[in-house]
């Protein structure tokens, strides 16, 4: 069982399901749904094996690694692996994708074949980002996740879906181009030349490069990741995309796609360019504070339930960015400060997972009420708990988790991120 290519199975099973869906005639909706449920469910079950088979005592070691030569001439390898940072995000992605597929038949009633095929392709792209340890592979998966989400918003979204989809696409594409340039600079400065993340982190290829080059490379990575998070002032695509996306699309956007940005900062920017991260940590911290305060204040002013959850996500991701900014402070004296960095980064990574669960649940709950009332205006819902006590109780529970009630998941990550930052 140890030789089983578990990560490859988790990544590529949704693509196999997509092929089955494409080969199924359009009229056979039940069969199409069956394939989508089967293959997204299979990835989720395998991710649980990943969770329970993970060696929690093996800190700082990549597990379930798979390495194959892909393009040896250019030093490109098919290199997969997970550690304590990426493994929970793989499980979260598989869980939310399966939950979204299960929910989708209540909301999607046209072009279901294309919808489910794109959804499974999106799952492969997202999981691939979290397990890829080669920059070319990482970039391919990063771009693969962009295209299906563009179509999910543009075809099955709300009245302004074209505008929201194009805005999302252009923002993310701009960041992707900047990241590609940064990857190429790292490649051409490495010796021997490689795209392997682990080798590049060990080599520190830009340590002897001019400071301006290091800064530009760091900013290239930061732009790509900050747009995905999104960090102020790159946040304006998020409310439009959330409001116009179908419910399942909003779940994936908030639950997973935002985490790809913060994951990239922790996986790539901090270890690959530690001294440059130290230069910019103050800027990151200030922008994180703006995210927290601005996102939360704007959320309070919303009367559209989906917009409220979308802007609250900007505030929550600000706490993640605050923890990452504290960890980016590379040059610290004393064991106390080093421990504080660990506390802040642990808080940030915990919040990434907790926010995915909480916000994914909130968007599913918003979808449930929207399918029945056909609107999301909070002012018109008055007295909803009296009419739907079970729904009201569940909604209140997740709302409490979102606002950070001590004892629930939303509190611990943000508390430790703030504690470590202080």
């Amino acid at each position: 069982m140890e030789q089983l290519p578990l990560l490859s199975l988790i990544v590529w099973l949704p693509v196999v399901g997509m092929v089955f869906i494409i080969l199924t005639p359009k009229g056979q909706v039940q069969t199409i749904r069956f394939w989508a449920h089967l293959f997204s469910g299979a990835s989720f079950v395998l991710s649980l094996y990943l969770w329970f088979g993970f060696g929690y005592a093996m800190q700082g070691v990549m597990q379930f690694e798979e390495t194959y030569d892909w393009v040896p001439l250019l030093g490109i390898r098919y290199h997969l692996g997970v550690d304590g940072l990426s493994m929970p995000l793989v499980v979260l992605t598989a869980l939310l994708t399966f939950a979204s597929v299960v929910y989708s038949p209540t909301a999607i009633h046209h072009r279901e074949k294309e919808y489910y095929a794109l959804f499974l392709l999106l799952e492969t792209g997202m999981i691939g980002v979290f397990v890829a340890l080669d920059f070319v592979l990482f970039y391919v998966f990063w771009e693969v996740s962009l295209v299906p989400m563009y179509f999910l918003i543009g075809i099955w979204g709300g009245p302004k879906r074209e505008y929201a989809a194009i805005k999302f696409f252009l923002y993310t594409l701009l960041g992707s181009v900047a990241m590609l340039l940064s990857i190429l600079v790292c490649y051409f400065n490495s010796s021997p030349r490689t795209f392997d993340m682990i080798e590049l982190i060990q080599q520190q290829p830009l340590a002897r490069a001019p400071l301006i080059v290091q800064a530009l490379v760091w900013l290239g990575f930061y732009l790509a990741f900050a747009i995905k998070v999104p960090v102020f002032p790159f946040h304006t695509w998020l409310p439009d995309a959330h409001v116009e996306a179908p419910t399942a699309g909003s779940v994936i956007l908030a639950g997973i796609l935002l985490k790809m940005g913060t994951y990239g900062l922790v996986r790539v920017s901090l270890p690959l360019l530690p001294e440059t991260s130290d230069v910019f940590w103050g800027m990151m911290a200030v922008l994180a504070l703006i995210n927290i305060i601005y996102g939360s204040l704007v959320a309070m002013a919303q009367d559209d339930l989906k917009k409220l959850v979308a802007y609250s996500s900007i505030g929550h991701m600000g706490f993640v960015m605050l923890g990452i900014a504290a960890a980016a402070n590379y040059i610290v004296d004393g064991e106390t400060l080093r421990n504080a960095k660990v506390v802040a980064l642990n808080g940030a990574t915990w919040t990434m997972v907790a926010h995915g669960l909480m916000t994914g649940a909130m968007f599913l709950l918003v979808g449930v009420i929207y399918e029945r009332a056909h609107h999301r205006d909070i002012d018109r819902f008055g007295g909803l708990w009296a009419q739907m006590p079970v729904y009201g109780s569940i909604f209140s529970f997740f709302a409490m988790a979102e606002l950070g009630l001590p004892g629930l998941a939303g509190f611990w990550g943000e508390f430790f991120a703030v504690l470590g930052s202080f």
Side-chain angles (χ1 to χ4, degrees):
M1 195 67 178
E2 291 180 0
Q3 302 302 316
L4 188 71
L6 187 62
L7 293 180
S8 288
L9 285 172
I10 295 171
V11 169
W12 298 110
L13 267 177
V15 172
V16 176
M18 182 187 74
V19 172
F20 274 85
I21 289 171
I22 290 171
L23 295 176
T24 304
K26 276 191 175 182
Q28 299 182 17
V29 176
Q30 293 301 324
T31 305
I32 290 168
R33 290 177 181 173
F34 170 77
W35 292 128
H37 284 72
L38 177 66
F39 285 95
S40 61
S43 276
F44 174 53
V45 170
L46 288 174
S47 74
L48 291 178
Y49 179 80
L50 190 73
W51 179 280
F52 290 110
F54 188 80
Y56 292 92
M58 300 166 60
Q59 297 182 9
V61 178
M62 287 294 169
Q63 301 180 41
F64 300 96
E65 270 193 278
E66 300 172 33
T67 307
Y68 309 100
D69 286 334
W70 187 8
V71 187
L73 185 65
L74 299 175
I76 302 172
R77 294 190 293 178
Y78 178 84
H79 187 188
L80 307 181
V82 291
D83 60 3
L85 172 66
S86 53
M87 182 275 294
L89 294 171
V90 172
V91 179
L92 178 69
T93 304
L95 169 63
L96 290 185
T97 304
F98 181 59
S100 298
V101 169
V102 170
Y103 173 84
S104 290
T106 63
I108 302 299
H109 306 291
H110 71 287
R111 300 184 70 174
E112 293 194 36
K113 180 176 178 177
E114 294 91 337
Y115 174 86
Y116 287 109
L118 287 168
F119 221 96
L120 291 180
L121 180 62
L122 176 62
E123 181 178 15
T124 288
M126 294 185 298
I127 294 177
V129 166
F130 296 132
V131 300
L133 295 176
D134 182 278
F135 266 125
V136 172
L137 198 61
F138 179 85
Y139 187 78
V140 168
F141 283 128
W142 185 276
E143 292 300 285
V144 163
S145 66
L146 168 62
V147 177
M149 184 53 73
Y150 168 78
F151 285 111
L152 287 171
I153 298 171
I155 296 175
W156 293 276
K160 299 179 181 178
R161 55 185 178 271
E162 293 92 351
Y163 169 77
I166 291 171
K167 193 173 183 180
F168 163 76
F169 188 85
L170 290 178
Y171 266 71
T172 312
L173 189 63
L174 172 66
S176 299
V177 172
M179 179 168 67
L180 179 60
L181 294 173
S182 294
I183 290 171
L184 290 174
V185 173
C186 291
Y187 171 75
F188 284 112
N189 279 275
S190 61
S191 179
R193 286 182 177 171
T194 180
F195 284 103
D196 191 276
M197 288 186 189
I198 307 300
E199 289 186 16
L200 285 170
I201 290 169
Q202 292 171 348
Q203 281 190 31
Q204 294 289 304
L206 297 178
R208 292 175 297 278
L211 291 177
I212 185 66
V213 173
Q214 295 184 41
L216 289 173
V217 170
W218 190 93
L219 289 170
F221 281 122
Y222 178 78
L223 182 63
F225 301 143
I227 287 173
K228 210 79 166 183
V229 170
V231 177
F232 180 90
F234 309 112
H235 66 286
T236 56
W237 65 266
L238 183 84
D240 292 313
H242 272 318
V243 170
E244 301 304 325
T247 298
S250 295
V251 170
I252 297 301
L253 263 172
I256 309 300
L257 287 184
L258 272 57
K259 313 306 177 298
M260 287 165 56
T262 50
Y263 170 81
L265 285 167
V266 180
R267 172 67 72 215
V268 178
S269 299
L270 268 58
L272 186 60
L273 296 156
E275 294 184 6
T276 316
S277 298
D278 179 65
V279 173
F280 288 105
W281 81 268
M283 177 200 76
M284 292 170 63
V286 170
L287 292 177
L289 289 172
I290 294 173
N291 256 48
I292 294 168
I293 298 168
Y294 170 77
S296 303
L297 288 175
V298 175
M300 289 172 63
Q302 301 305 314
D303 52 16
D304 184 311
L305 201 50
K306 231 180 184 184
K307 268 193 176 181
L308 186 152
V309 181
Y311 275 109
S312 75
S313 293
I314 295 174
H316 284 294
M317 297 313 290
F319 283 101
V320 179
M321 290 299 298
L322 186 64
I324 294 172
N329 188 2
Y330 178 60
I331 303 168
V332 293
D333 295 321
E335 187 178 352
T336 303
L337 285 179
R338 283 194 292 273
N339 290 339
K341 284 175 56 176
V342 174
V343 168
L345 193 57
N346 282 341
T349 51
W350 176 278
T351 304
M352 286 161 64
V353 178
H355 178 263
L357 293 170
M358 297 182 305
T359 308
M362 288 293 286
F363 275 115
L364 285 173
L365 289 166
V366 172
V368 166
I369 196 64
Y370 179 72
E371 296 301 321
R372 288 153 178 77
H374 304 293
H375 71 85
R376 296 186 298 264
D377 190 344
I378 298 171
D379 295 333
R380 293 169 59 191
F381 280 138
L384 197 60
W385 203 339
Q387 300 177 49
M388 303 171 68
V390 175
Y391 174 88
S393 301
I394 296 171
F395 191 97
S396 298
F397 174 79
F398 282 105
M400 292 292 180
E402 282 260 308
L403 64 83
L405 184 71
L408 300 180
F411 168 77
W412 297 108
E414 294 175 3
F415 173 73
F416 284 119
V418 173
L419 180 67
S421 300
F422 272 113

